[in-house]
Amino acid sequence: MADTLSDYDPAERRSTPLAIRLCETMPPEGLPLADYMRVCLLDPEHGYYNRRSVLGRDGDFITAPEISQAFGELIGLWAAVTWRQMGAPSAFDLIELGPGRGTLMADALRAAHRVPGFTSAVNLHLVEASPRMRELQRETLADCGVALAWADTICDDAPHAGSARPAIILANEFLDCLPIDQVRWKRGTDGAFDWSVRHVSVDKAELIDIWVPLLDGDPHRPLLPSNPPECAIVEFAHTAPVIAAVAARATVAPLAALFIDYGYGAGSSATGASGDTLQAVRAHAYEHPLTAPGLADLSAHVDFAALARDVARHGLAVDGPATQAEFLGRLGIVERAAKLMASNPGKAAAIEAGIARLIAPGGMGTRFKALGIRSPDLTRLPGL
Ligand code: SAH
């Protein structure tokens, strides 16, 4: 897996339109890694999510809802049970963060439709920053039976602003594409150890990684481990605004959220350093994140322990994380697979293979985790 700094092979480098523009406009101090990620993923002209059909077998990577319809269906039933646990409110906001092609939501709504009263109570909100992805979602969800509405972020122009409706929030593989900062512990030229921050800069018209000293007053400093090994890297994901927006919403009405993503569950490591988990994926293969800006997906492991601590700080309850295999198993994925196979005998082998992939030990079944967040007075969320 070519996801560490040492794996950068300059021979592989591509002069993408975005690489050229970044080289021409690079500020003297370089771009903080988080800004580089944001531009690579969401630049209106050259951003990865705005340029290509990224998801699916023909794209760069495949996600759980694209592997098996059972994934979205079970999440739809999860949402319906959660809605009933909220007292089956006659109107609530169903919010999906980063809906991709809209497949998860289409499967979820179809499955949950069988629960009386659910569909007519749904106010659907899709939080999607990419206009290209919105088009795909509009196509997939054209016949889903509920009105579609979009917002760019859950934070500022969130659809829930001023709303006192209960909310159910779903997010699969959304947190992993939020920008991150990386901070490294290393001996400087003066021989003393200190922390520095990863930036992207330019040298001889090529993008390069540089490390700039961490300022004394930097807000990350108090959060850094006290006795790290040399070259330890600590990552900070920009999840705080998302969690703050979720928490703000929970102060006005009951709320339940489900975050599924790949990442580590029980703390980064004994040293408190996660290591470099930033990865670039293009055509189902890993490459260094500077190789082809705008043409590769960039993502990083989600630190579920840090996320859970942040949620708890806001006074919300946390359920899980459970591994994806545990979560889907408790929701009945095996039974759902049996039903799907019985009603599509010609596709039984493909259905079985898809579901096996979602729950594979050592693969998606354990690398992916499900974390529930809820208003403290709600009961524990299903499957967690
Ligand atoms: N949930 C989908 C897609 C995951 S890919 C699935 O499981 O198949 C990530 C999705 O999040 C894409 O739709 C991408 O355009 C969107 N996205 C990425 N960064 C975002 C951001 N900062 N704000 C809103 N949406 C974002």
Side-chain angles (χ1 to χ4, degrees):
M1 191 161 105
D3 65 349
T4 60
L5 295 178
S6 54
D7 289 317
Y8 190 23
D9 178 357
E12 293 290 310
R13 202 156 28 202
R14 298 277 175 279
S15 281
T16 66
L18 188 55
I20 294 167
R21 198 187 80 201
L22 284 169
C23 286
E24 285 169 0
T25 58
M26 189 63 72
E29 69 288 3
L31 275 184
L33 180 62
D35 291 355
Y36 173 76
M37 285 182 75
R38 201 174 287 113
V39 173
C40 286
L41 294 177
L42 293 171
D43 181 77
E45 201 180 352
H46 301 303
Y48 176 71
Y49 283 111
N50 279 322
R51 294 190 68 248
R52 293 159 52 93
S53 291
V54 297
L55 285 168
R57 277 169 227 287
D58 304 332
D60 292 299
F61 63 103
I62 192 157
T63 56
E66 304 294 336
I67 290 173
S68 171
Q69 68 183 80
F71 186 81
E73 289 170 348
L74 289 177
I75 289 180
L77 295 175
W78 179 92
V81 173
T82 299
W83 169 72
R84 290 190 59 87
Q85 287 178 349
M86 286 175 160
S90 60
F92 76 102
D93 288 344
L94 180 61
I95 302 168
E96 186 177 0
L97 310 180
R101 293 159 62 125
T103 309
L104 187 161
M105 188 52 80
D107 293 336
L109 288 172
R110 193 181 58 248
H113 186 62
R114 278 178 275 148
V115 177
F118 181 86
T119 308
S120 58
V122 167
N123 286 279
L124 183 60
H125 297 284
L126 305 167
V127 174
E128 174 57 67
S130 152
R132 162 100 184 102
M133 284 294 176
R134 287 186 185 198
E135 274 171 39
L136 293 176
Q137 291 154 20
R138 190 176 284 116
E139 283 166 25
T140 309
L141 293 166
D143 301 321
C144 75
V146 298
L148 307 178
W150 281 271
D152 275 346
T153 82
I154 192 179
C155 308
D156 28 80
D157 65 344
H160 58 263
S163 155
R165 279 195 291 262
I168 297 179
I169 299 175
L170 306 174
N172 184 60
E173 292 215 48
F174 170 73
L175 296 175
D176 66 15
C177 59
L178 294 181
I180 60 164
D181 301 310
Q182 283 186 348
V183 183
R184 183 175 69 169
W185 179 246
K186 200 159 189 295
R187 200 188 291 274
T189 43
D190 60 356
F193 277 95
D194 198 5
W195 294 102
S196 50
V197 192
R198 185 172 175 185
H199 282 212
V200 173
S201 186
V202 62
D203 182 47
K204 301 188 192 74
E206 304 284 12
L207 295 175
I208 55 163
D209 283 305
I210 59 168
W211 295 85
V212 305
L214 185 71
L215 297 176
D216 283 343
D218 189 285
H220 292 325
R221 259 195 200 276
L223 306 172
L224 289 163
S226 48
N227 196 16
E230 182 166 9
C231 289
I233 289 180
V234 184
E235 294 183 335
F236 296 96
H238 289 207
T239 51
V242 175
I243 298 306
V246 167
R249 159 116 218 186
T251 60
V252 293
L255 173 141
L258 176 65
F259 286 93
I260 302 181
D261 228 305
Y262 77 100
Y264 34 90
S268 355
S269 77
T271 61
S274 53
D276 173 20
T277 78
L278 178 64
Q279 63 186 33
V281 175
R282 186 158 53 106
H284 300 272
Y286 291 102
E287 65 185 22
H288 188 278
L290 299 186
T291 303
L295 298 187
D297 182 45
L298 299 182
S299 65
H301 284 47
V302 174
D303 183 345
F304 281 98
L307 199 66
R309 279 195 301 274
D310 195 21
V311 171
R313 255 197 305 276
H314 281 97
L316 296 177
V318 177
D319 296 331
T323 65
Q324 177 163 292
E326 287 165 345
F327 177 67
L328 295 178
R330 289 174 195 148
L331 296 186
I333 194 155
V334 175
E335 295 79 353
R336 181 70 197 131
K339 275 202 184 126
L340 280 174
M341 286 158 74
S343 50
N344 302 280
K347 294 189 182 152
I351 292 168
E352 189 182 12
I355 286 173
R357 188 167 170 194
L358 294 184
I359 58 175
M364 289 184 87
T366 50
R367 283 196 298 116
F368 279 72
K369 316 275 188 299
L371 183 86
I373 299 175
R374 63 182 156 86
S375 308
D377 47 350
L378 292 178
T379 47
R380 197 179 179 89
L381 296 169
L384 291 166

